Amino acid sequence: MKVVIAEKPSVAREIASLLGAIEKKDGYLTGNGYCVTWAFGHLVTLAMPEEYGVSGFQRETLPILPEPFLLTVRKKRENNHYKLDTGVLKQLKTIEKLLKNCESIIVATDAGREGELIFRYIYEYLKCRKPFERLWISSLTEKAILKGFENIKSGKDFDGLYFAAAARSQADWLVGINASQALTIVSGGGSYSLGRVQTPTLALICKRFLENKMFVVTKYWQIELGHRKDFIDFKSLSVIKWDQSKQADDSLKFIHRQGVATVVSVETKTVYEQPPLLFDLTALQKEANMKLNLSAEETLLIAQSLYEKKFISYPRTGSKFIPEDLWIEIPKLIQVISELEKFKDIIRQMKIGRLNKRIVNDLKVTDHHGLLITDKIPSALSIKEKAIYEMIAYRLIEAVSSVCTKELTDVTLEVVHSEFTLKGCKIIEPGWRMVKGNFLDNNDFVQDLPELKIGDEVKIKQAKVLEKKTKPPVLYTEASLLAAMENAGKQIGDEKERKILQEIGIGTPATRASIIETLFKREYIKRVMKSLLPTEKGLKVYEWIKDKKIADVAMTAEWEVELQKIQNNETYAVHFQKRMKDFTATITQELLALSVDNKKQLELICPKCRTHKVVIRDKLIKCPNESCNWVQFRNICGIQLNLENLEMLISEGKTEILKGMTSKSGKKFDAFIVMDEKGETTFSFPQKKKK
C-alpha cells in the first residue's frame, strides 16, 4: 500500500479520483493500492516557550534560544488560552496509522517551501523513518497530476527546500518570540509584536508616512505655450521653474511680444518596447490592487481558489518565466483563451506561428514557472475570480505578442532666450499594446506632433503661467508596498552588495500578503482609501525600534539571500541558524536596553482572587493566575476604558459616566460601568432629572 499525503482535503480528493482510491474512510480515501490522506495546513508547529519551561514574560529568561527546537501539535485559542485542536490531533493519528502500515510514502503537499515544511514537520514529529517520494506539479489538471506521477522524484532531492523552510520557521520564531517579549517588558504595559519581516515592513510604512507628513510644500511657476501647425494642436513647457510668480509674469510679457517660438533642436529615436513578462504572485497582487482595489491577501485567496478549480497554474510562484519544454503548450493555451468571447477578436489578430519567446528561460524558472492559465475552460466563476483569471489570460497574450515599436521625439523651442520642451510619440507597430489598446504609459508627457525641423518658427497661440507645487513622497498603497518589499535589496548602502542583492526582497511572494495582514491584525496599520497609514500604536513601535537592527530592511533582505542559498544546497542551514541566534541575542539586548517614556503605570490587585497584580494590555486586563482566570475587556460598546477608568473600576467599583456607547441595536447611550465583589461588571444608568 502506498500513502499519498496532500495539503488539504480538496486536493486529496482530486488525486484520489485519478488513482482510483474512491472508498471513503475516516480521514482518508483508499483503493487500487493507495491510501490518500491530507493535512489541514500545518498540523505540527514549533513549540512555544512554555514547552521549554519558560512561562510568562521575564527579562531574566531572554533570549530564549531552544537547542534543539521542539515540535508540537497545532493548538487553537480558547478563552485566552491555547489548547490542543482535537480535529488536528485526530487527523494526525490517522496519518500516523497509515504511515506505520504503508510500503511507501508519496508527498503531495503544495510544491513549495511551505508545502514541504508541512509534510516534513509531520514526518519528524511522528518519528517516521521510511523513505518517501515527491509529487512536484504546477497545476491540478488531470494531465499535470498524471504526468507528475510518471515523473515522481526522490524525497531527498528536496532536502535543501526543507532545510530552508525549517531555517525560516526557526528564524521567525527566534526573532518574533524574543523581540516581542523584550518590547512588551520594557513598555511596562500593553502587548507588542515584532517579527523578522513584519517589523522592517512596518518601518517602511512609518518612514514613508512621516516623510509625507513632514514634507514642506513649496510653490514654483512654469509657463505653458499653446501652438498649432498643420492642423495639429500641441503644447510646450518652460524648462525654467521660477521661485516667484512675478519672475514668471515678467517673462510672460516678453513672450507675448515675441509671438513665435523657434525650433532649436529635434531628436527622434525609434524605441522597441518589449512585452511584459508573465505574472509572478507579487506582480499579480500589485496589478490587482491597482486595477481592482483588491488586497494582497484577497488576490492570493482568489488565485488559490482558481488553482484548486484547475483554471490556473500554481499561484505562489516567484518566477515570471517558463522552461523551454513548456513552450509547446503555449499555442494550446492561446486556443483555450480564444474560446472566450472577450478574447476572440484579439486572438484573431495574433500571428500564432510567430509568438514571442521572451518568457522562455530555464535559468530563471525557480520552484515554479510564471502564472499561466490551464487547458480547462473556466466556468462558474465569481466576479472577482473572473477578473483575476482574465488578468492572467491578458498577461499571457501580451507576453507572447510582438514588440511595440514607437518613434519618440524630443523638441526644444526657444523664445526670448527661454527654452521650452515638448515630447511626441508615434506608434509604428503596436505589437503587444494592441491587446488592451493602451499605447501610452503617461498621456501627460507625450502627444501627437506635426513635422518639425530645426529653424522652424511656430506661432504662440496662447501662453499662460502655471502655478505648481512640489509633491511629498506618496503614501504606500498595497501595490507600492509590495513593490518596496520586493525591491528591498536596492536600499543596501554598499554598491557591490546592492548589485548582488538588487533583485532580493523581504519576505517571499508567498508570504508578503500574510505579513501585511499581520500588521492589520496587530493594529499597527490601517487603510484610508487605498493608502496604508500607521496607527498611533504602529508609530509608537516605530519610534522605539527605528534605529535598531530589527528594523533594518536591507539586513532582512540579506537573510532571504541566505535562505535561497540553503534551498539551492550552496550553504549549510546550521551556519544560518547560528547567525540568527547571534542576531536574536543582539536585538533582544538592544530592546531590553530601551528607555521607554511611559505614562503612570498602574498596579492594581485582581478584584476576583485579590492576591495577584493584574496585567494591563491594549485590549484587556487580566489576572496572571491561571486558577483565577479573571479577564475584563477594555472596549465596552465601542468605548475604550482608559487607565483612569480602569483604576476607578477596580479600586472604587465604578467608572465615571461613559458617554456615547453603542448598543447591539445601534442606539447610543450613556452609563457607568459597575463591578461587583466577584469582579463581574454591569451597566448603571444615570437617573433622569425630573422636570
Side-chain angles (χ1 to χ4, degrees):
M1 177 193 71
K2 293 183 178 181
V3 169
V4 181
I5 301 180
E7 190 161 319
K8 55 181 67 173
S10 60
V11 178
R13 286 193 293 270
E14 293 290 342
I15 294 172
S17 66
L18 291 175
L19 296 177
I22 55 176
E23 186 182 349
K24 291 184 179 180
K25 297 287 186 179
D26 191 7
Y28 65 100
L29 295 146
T30 186
N32 200 28
Y34 288 94
C35 284
V36 183
T37 188
W38 53 82
F40 309 118
H42 283 282
L43 299 184
V44 176
T45 62
L46 295 177
M48 297 304 284
E50 292 78 6
E51 294 177 67
Y52 298 99
V54 180
S55 59
F57 290 13
Q58 304 169 46
R59 183 183 288 263
E60 56 272 16
T61 62
L62 297 180
I64 306 165
L65 305 172
E67 186 59 53
F69 276 91
L70 303 177
L71 294 173
T72 186
V73 179
R74 189 178 81 201
K75 296 179 174 62
K76 63 180 179 180
R77 188 165 185 163
E78 283 186 9
N79 300 322
N80 301 307
H81 287 282
Y82 286 95
K83 58 186 295 186
L84 283 175
D85 188 318
T86 52
V88 166
L89 194 58
K90 180 182 176 183
Q91 187 63 16
L92 200 56
K93 287 180 178 177
T94 298
I95 295 171
E96 183 177 26
K97 181 182 70 174
L98 293 173
L99 293 185
K100 280 183 179 178
N101 298 324
C102 74
E103 297 167 4
S104 62
I105 304 165
I106 298 174
V107 184
T109 49
D110 280 359
R113 194 186 281 178
E114 214 57 28
E116 191 69 19
L117 190 65
I118 286 170
F119 166 73
R120 296 288 189 117
Y121 271 0
I122 293 171
Y123 184 82
E124 293 294 331
Y125 180 78
L126 297 178
K127 295 182 170 58
C128 184
R129 294 295 175 262
K130 292 182 179 180
F132 56 88
E133 295 175 298
R134 189 59 157 105
L135 176 71
W136 194 264
I137 54 178
S138 287
S139 81
L140 290 175
T141 60
E142 180 178 332
K143 181 179 177 181
I145 293 172
L146 292 176
K147 187 177 179 181
F149 272 99
E150 289 173 7
N151 296 285
I152 208 84
K153 300 176 185 295
S154 168
K156 288 188 175 296
D157 292 349
F158 300 90
D159 283 351
L161 184 67
Y162 165 57
F163 294 146
R168 192 277 308 155
S169 175
Q170 293 172 12
D172 287 347
W173 192 101
L174 287 168
V175 175
I177 294 292
N178 287 286
S180 299
Q181 289 200 14
L183 187 60
T184 299
I185 288 167
V186 299
S187 71
S191 177
Y192 297 96
S193 167
L194 300 179
R196 184 182 64 90
V197 182
Q198 170 194 321
T199 302
T201 305
L202 174 63
L204 284 172
I205 296 168
C206 291
K207 185 173 183 288
R208 176 62 61 85
F209 170 76
L210 292 173
E211 287 172 348
N212 177 280
K213 186 179 178 182
M214 303 303 291
F215 185 83
V216 179
V217 176
T218 57
K219 291 182 181 180
Y220 65 94
W221 289 263
Q222 285 179 283
I223 295 176
E224 181 186 81
L225 305 181
H227 314 279
R228 183 176 178 82
K229 184 176 188 258
D230 299 338
F231 305 104
I232 297 175
D233 292 314
F234 56 100
K235 295 177 181 179
S236 62
L237 190 65
S238 65
V239 174
I240 297 175
K241 298 177 181 179
W242 288 277
D243 296 330
Q244 297 177 7
S245 61
K246 187 179 183 306
Q247 295 172 328
D249 289 336
D250 290 343
S251 295
L252 185 65
K253 291 174 185 176
F254 286 111
I255 289 166
H256 275 306
R257 290 194 201 112
Q258 187 72 14
V260 293
T262 304
V263 178
V264 294
S265 75
V266 178
E267 183 181 339
T268 300
K269 60 183 177 181
T270 302
V271 174
Y272 301 98
E273 191 177 39
Q274 289 287 354
L277 296 168
L278 298 173
F279 284 125
D280 63 2
L281 177 59
T282 301
L284 178 68
Q285 288 169 322
K286 288 191 291 186
E287 186 85 355
N289 182 249
M290 289 187 290
K291 301 292 174 60
L292 305 174
N293 202 24
L294 293 176
S295 71
E297 183 76 3
E298 280 182 289
T299 303
L300 176 55
L301 292 174
I302 294 165
Q304 184 69 23
S305 173
L306 289 170
Y307 168 67
E308 290 173 17
K309 291 177 179 178
K310 309 178 192 176
F311 296 137
I312 67 169
S313 62
Y314 186 66
R316 290 176 167 84
T317 177
S319 177
K320 298 179 180 180
F321 297 87
I322 63 170
E324 179 70 45
D325 60 9
L326 192 58
W327 177 250
I328 194 173
E329 301 292 328
I330 297 301
K332 300 174 187 176
L333 299 183
I334 300 293
Q335 187 60 42
V336 171
I337 298 172
S338 71
E339 298 291 321
L340 304 175
E341 192 63 38
K342 189 169 188 175
F343 295 93
K344 283 183 178 178
D345 289 340
I346 299 169
I347 303 299
R348 202 175 291 123
Q349 297 176 55
M350 292 183 69
K351 299 171 184 175
I352 303 298
R354 295 170 57 190
L355 297 179
N356 190 332
K357 287 187 71 173
R358 183 168 176 252
I359 58 172
V360 176
N361 191 323
D362 287 301
L363 297 176
K364 291 193 175 183
V365 176
T366 52
D367 297 337
H368 295 278
H369 55 69
L371 264 168
L372 293 171
I373 62 159
T374 66
D375 57 8
K376 184 179 179 183
I377 296 174
S379 59
L381 297 182
S382 69
I383 293 173
K384 290 181 179 179
E385 285 177 334
K386 184 171 182 285
I388 293 296
Y389 179 87
E390 288 179 353
M391 197 171 272
I392 296 168
Y394 267 123
R395 179 53 65 90
L396 170 58
I397 298 169
E398 289 178 326
V400 297
S401 296
S402 59
V403 299
C404 172
T405 307
K406 297 178 178 179
E407 188 178 82
L408 300 181
T409 304
D410 286 296
V411 181
T412 303
L413 306 176
E414 192 174 79
V415 187
V416 197
H417 306 299
S418 294
E419 287 190 345
F420 290 76
T421 60
L422 56 147
K423 295 178 183 288
C425 178
K426 184 179 179 182
I427 304 296
I428 307 300
E429 177 61 49
W432 66 271
R433 284 195 174 274
M434 180 64 79
V435 175
K436 290 182 180 176
N438 297 331
F439 298 110
L440 303 174
D441 287 320
N442 193 331
N443 292 325
D444 293 332
F445 295 99
V446 290
Q447 56 192 319
D448 287 332
L449 294 180
E451 185 177 342
L452 296 170
K453 58 183 183 295
I454 295 174
D456 283 353
E457 290 189 342
V458 291
K459 287 186 178 181
I460 300 171
K461 283 185 60 184
Q462 59 186 35
K464 61 181 177 180
V465 173
L466 303 179
E467 182 184 292
K468 296 188 176 184
K469 295 178 181 178
T470 54
K471 295 179 180 179
V474 180
L475 294 169
Y476 280 122
T477 61
E478 282 204 41
S480 57
L481 179 61
L482 285 167
M485 295 171 75
E486 185 179 29
N487 298 309
K490 292 179 180 177
Q491 298 192 27
I492 294 170
D494 184 88
E495 188 175 346
K496 287 184 180 179
E497 288 186 20
R498 186 168 62 249
K499 285 181 180 178
I500 297 170
L501 302 175
Q502 62 181 344
E503 294 183 8
I504 299 297
I506 57 175
T508 65
T511 61
R512 286 172 191 141
S514 64
I515 292 161
I516 296 171
E517 287 303 310
T518 297
L519 293 174
F520 281 115
K521 289 173 186 173
R522 302 285 185 240
E523 298 182 343
Y524 286 164
I525 64 173
K526 59 186 178 183
R527 281 190 190 90
V528 177
M529 304 297 283
K530 289 184 72 171
S531 297
L532 301 180
L533 305 180
T535 61
E536 184 179 342
K537 183 179 181 182
L539 281 172
K540 185 197 295 185
V541 171
Y542 175 68
E543 285 301 318
W544 289 337
I545 55 85
K546 64 184 178 184
D547 57 347
K548 304 293 183 287
K549 289 186 184 298
I550 194 170
D552 189 341
V553 174
M555 180 176 288
T556 306
E558 290 176 34
W559 295 133
E560 298 296 343
V561 175
E562 287 293 305
L563 290 171
Q564 194 60 49
K565 286 181 178 178
I566 295 169
Q567 183 170 325
N568 296 338
N569 296 310
E570 295 170 6
T571 187
Y572 294 106
V574 65
H575 300 326
F576 175 82
Q577 290 160 341
K578 171 67 168 62
R579 285 196 291 274
M580 284 308 305
K581 287 185 176 182
D582 293 342
F583 175 71
T584 299
T586 300
I587 61 170
T588 303
Q589 290 308 121
E590 278 189 341
L591 292 168
L592 289 174
L594 274 173
S595 177
V596 177
D597 182 20
N598 284 314
K599 296 177 181 177
K600 174 188 174 185
Q601 295 300 309
L602 297 178
E603 292 190 358
L604 303 171
I605 302 300
C606 173
K608 185 178 177 182
C609 68
R610 302 190 182 280
T611 54
H612 291 80
K613 291 179 182 177
V614 297
V615 177
I616 302 174
R617 303 285 188 230
D618 293 322
K619 294 184 177 180
L620 52 82
I621 50 176
K622 66 176 184 177
C623 180
N625 182 11
E626 291 188 7
S627 61
C628 172
N629 205 29
W630 176 82
V631 174
Q632 172 63 52
F633 288 96
R634 292 182 64 174
N635 191 301
I636 300 176
C637 296
I639 297 295
Q640 181 86 351
L641 293 180
N642 58 30
L643 295 178
E644 289 74 19
N645 274 311
L646 287 177
E647 186 172 23
M648 291 173 67
L649 182 62
I650 294 177
S651 302
E652 303 170 21
K654 186 177 181 180
T655 67
E656 63 184 5
I657 190 167
L658 302 177
K659 296 185 177 182
M661 288 189 282
T662 307
S663 68
K664 290 181 180 179
S665 63
K667 293 183 178 179
K668 297 287 185 181
F669 68 96
D670 304 336
F672 302 95
I673 308 298
V674 179
M675 182 177 286
D676 63 19
E677 293 180 355
K678 295 180 181 179
E680 296 177 355
T681 55
T682 56
F683 293 113
S684 173
F685 297 95
Q687 292 183 351
K688 293 183 179 180
K689 293 181 180 180
K690 294 181 180 180
K691 292 183 180 178

